Amino acid sequence: MVPKHRPWRLLARAGRLLLPALLLGWSLGLRSAILPADRADALYHAYDGGGVQVNGPSILVRKSIGTSVSASYNYYVDNVSSASVDVLSYASPYTEQRTEQSVNVDYLHGKSTMNLSYTNSDESDYVSDTYSFTLSQDLFGDLTTVALGYSVSDNTVGRNNRKTGTTQIVGTARVQGWRLNVSQILSKNSLLGFTFDTISDEGYLNNPYRSVRYLDSGSGTGFSYQTEVYPNTRTSNAGALRLRYYLPWRAAVSAGYRLFSDTWGIRARTWELGYTQTWRDRWTFEARYRLYDQTKADFYSDLFPYRDAQNFLARDKELSTYTSRNLGLGVTYHFLKNGWGFIDDGTANLFYDMINFDYQDFRNIPAGGLAGQEPLYSFDAGVIRAFLSIWY
Amino acid sequence: MRPLFIILSLLWLAGCSIEPWVKPYERAHLADPIMSFSRDPVADSYINHVHEAREGARGAGVASGGGCGCN
């Protein structure tokens, strides 16, 4: 059973109480935390599953400025080619590109770190600007790090007309997020992380391309489509606990559990297990398993009984009841363990994830069958992350 | 509410004098990169985006991204 909302309210209250304490601690300006290391990453990513291919690069450069400031810049591209089950059911395959750029500045003051970031995401039918601020503080002899963050994102949602090549703006949405993150040293070999996020949306939250279907005896297929209608607000809470334990043969095991609930009626749970093994100083191997399940949104149905059956209507498979299983494998090779010129270290990395999605109340319309009796939908996806990293 | 705030504030101030049960020189294992919750931010941010674009749940991930890219 997924828990009700009460634990979230208690945690949110604890977060509010910690804020003045954190600000007090920050003002004392005690001894040192550390800034992130100077590094550069060049990543190629590829996703292939359910008729959707997404690939592109991601480049990150991070450099410290003096002893108390570190800045980073990230450039990221998604090249999308989609013939998903939704597209095949009532639309045409398409391609598009999303570009994301972000700037991040960390400022170190004693045992505190302030982080400011700005992210712009741009695609032909969706533009997003996100600003975020995080304050973190080391406590209790640096055994504990507490961070509080706030972010606000303004989004403009459009709908492309692929025949005319034009885009019509259909709405705007504002998303605000509050985060509490606690990292705790438990022993010489174990670390505990706790993260709690509250995210609140307001505005146009529909996917403008998605439709719901309803029974229609006048249609040859037995059903017809109408546009989805989502509520204009959504608030979600997610809390996660993660544990890492160091093993004597220079390996690590990790475990994580996340609970999620929102005002749309979705309840979700995530379990994570991981194992990291080093070999001969230059190699690191990783394996991870992630299990995710969720209940459907209150206003989701695969097939509504008639047109305008209720005030809110959705048939997004992301809002349906389903289970997802993810097995990931990775290898890292230190090709510059002893440095070279101004470079201190360099790694080549390859990660591959296999993900299975198994839907319990979302049917595969293109597979055919009587309305509401088509086979349930499921698909497998593969995800590649190949990247080079250098530290300097 | 108020007593809880006072207790938390006192705990906070007391924390300045707490003797850490894991001394700084005992943290070599914890400082090993394999013990990091997010060793490679770019790669973690990407896989987090892969999950969030296809799941109803969001937040409390290892790393976070932006935008949609999820039609």
Side-chain angles (χ1 to χ4, degrees):
Chain A
M1 283 291 290
V2 177
K4 304 290 183 192
H5 285 83
R6 188 167 167 71
W8 304 133
R9 281 207 292 272
L10 289 172
L11 287 166
R13 186 179 294 170
R16 283 199 298 275
L17 287 166
L18 272 171
L19 180 61
L22 189 67
L23 291 172
L24 173 66
W26 183 76
S27 67
L28 295 175
L30 303 173
R31 283 174 300 131
S32 59
I34 55 166
L35 286 169
D38 290 353
R39 67 185 289 174
D41 299 84
L43 174 139
Y44 168 78
H45 61 83
Y47 170 94
D48 189 354
V52 178
Q53 288 89 41
V54 187
N55 60 50
S58 180
I59 308 290
L60 175 86
V61 179
R62 176 175 278 283
K63 182 80 182 82
S64 53
I65 304 164
T67 54
S68 54
V69 176
S70 172
S72 71
Y73 170 75
N74 181 220
Y75 177 78
Y76 173 95
V77 176
D78 273 336
N79 296 304
V80 183
S81 170
S82 179
S84 68
V85 63
D86 307 292
V87 169
L88 294 178
S89 299
Y90 49 78
S92 305
Y94 65 90
T95 59
E96 70 173 3
Q97 187 178 76
R98 180 174 83 89
T99 304
E100 182 180 301
Q101 297 184 78
S102 61
V103 184
N104 213 299
V105 178
D106 289 282
Y107 172 65
L108 180 69
H109 176 79
K111 289 193 171 195
S112 309
T113 308
M114 270 194 297
N115 173 274
L116 280 169
S117 77
Y118 166 70
T119 302
N120 170 264
S121 173
D122 192 2
E123 54 194 307
S124 60
D125 54 3
Y126 200 101
V127 179
S128 170
D129 291 296
T130 304
Y131 303 86
S132 70
F133 173 70
T134 302
L135 183 59
S136 69
Q137 171 78 34
D138 288 351
L139 299 169
F140 310 133
D142 300 339
L143 291 175
T144 309
T145 302
V146 179
L148 286 171
Y150 171 74
S151 67
V152 58
S153 176
D154 285 310
N155 307 304
T156 303
V157 188
R159 181 187 164 91
N160 288 338
N161 184 327
R162 303 193 197 281
K163 287 178 185 161
T164 62
T166 56
T167 302
Q168 179 195 357
I169 303 299
V170 293
T172 59
R174 169 166 280 201
V175 183
Q176 295 183 85
W178 294 264
R179 167 169 283 198
L180 166 67
N181 191 82
V182 180
S183 178
Q184 176 67 49
I185 292 176
L186 296 177
S187 71
K188 286 186 277 188
N189 294 310
S190 57
L191 284 172
L192 181 72
F194 170 73
T195 305
F196 185 83
D197 275 349
T198 294
I199 301 173
S200 175
D201 306 52
E202 193 169 4
Y204 184 89
L205 308 180
N206 279 33
N207 183 325
Y209 299 100
R210 295 276 174 92
S211 297
V212 299
R213 63 174 182 157
Y214 58 92
L215 282 170
D216 181 2
S217 55
S219 162
T221 55
F223 59 86
S224 294
Y225 289 102
Q226 71 172 113
T227 307
E228 286 190 331
V229 186
Y230 281 14
N232 288 329
T233 58
R234 181 190 188 195
T235 300
S236 66
N237 292 303
L241 267 178
R242 293 186 176 87
L243 182 70
R244 286 190 84 83
Y245 190 84
Y246 188 92
L247 298 167
W249 51 92
R250 203 176 164 229
V253 287
S254 62
Y257 180 66
R258 179 180 71 161
L259 267 176
F260 171 90
S261 75
D262 72 5
T263 51
W264 288 2
I266 298 173
R267 305 281 182 270
R269 302 172 295 186
T270 311
W271 293 264
E272 299 162 330
L273 280 175
Y275 182 76
T276 308
Q277 175 67 59
T278 56
W279 185 57
R280 289 190 176 176
D281 212 30
R282 286 179 182 264
W283 294 89
T284 305
F285 298 94
E286 278 188 59
R288 73 180 187 111
Y289 182 73
R290 181 181 187 271
L291 177 64
Y292 171 86
D293 69 10
Q294 71 171 54
T295 62
K296 70 182 180 69
D298 295 333
F299 51 94
Y300 170 89
S301 176
D302 179 67
L303 180 61
F304 288 94
Y306 49 88
R307 186 179 178 86
D308 296 326
Q310 53 195 50
N311 55 345
F312 298 122
L313 307 153
R315 194 184 167 271
D316 263 345
K317 60 183 180 302
E318 292 78 17
L319 304 186
S320 69
T321 306
Y322 74 94
T323 302
S324 156
R325 299 168 188 85
N326 179 174
L327 176 64
L329 299 171
V331 57
T332 296
Y333 177 69
H334 286 264
F335 63 93
L336 288 175
K337 189 77 181 170
N338 301 316
W340 181 67
F342 70 96
I343 298 171
D344 299 327
D345 194 3
T347 60
N349 308 265
L350 180 64
F351 289 80
Y352 184 73
D353 285 83
M354 294 153 280
I355 313 177
N356 166 260
F357 295 85
D358 199 6
Y359 297 88
Q360 274 107 68
D361 51 13
F362 179 84
R363 295 190 177 274
N364 186 352
I365 297 173
L370 292 172
Q373 293 179 32
E374 301 93 343
L376 291 168
Y377 186 59
S378 69
F379 73 97
D380 296 323
V383 183
I384 295 170
R385 289 171 288 165
F387 59 102
L388 293 173
S389 304
I390 57 167
W391 287 261
Y392 43 85
Chain B
M1 182 75 101
R2 187 183 294 262
L4 188 59
F5 174 72
I6 293 169
I7 290 167
L8 275 175
S9 299
L10 288 173
L11 275 175
W12 176 275
L13 292 170
C16 298
S17 58
I18 278 181
E19 190 68 23
W21 60 84
V22 181
K23 303 278 190 275
Y25 56 83
E26 295 175 317
R27 298 178 192 174
H29 292 169
L30 303 174
D32 192 310
I34 65 170
M35 284 297 283
S36 170
F37 284 111
S38 179
R39 200 167 82 233
D40 297 299
V42 174
D44 291 337
S45 178
Y46 171 70
I47 201 70
N48 196 58
H49 176 66
V50 167
H51 292 309
E52 290 213 341
R54 289 159 188 86
E55 294 175 350
R58 59 188 183 173
V62 173
S64 58
C68 181
C70 49
N71 287 339

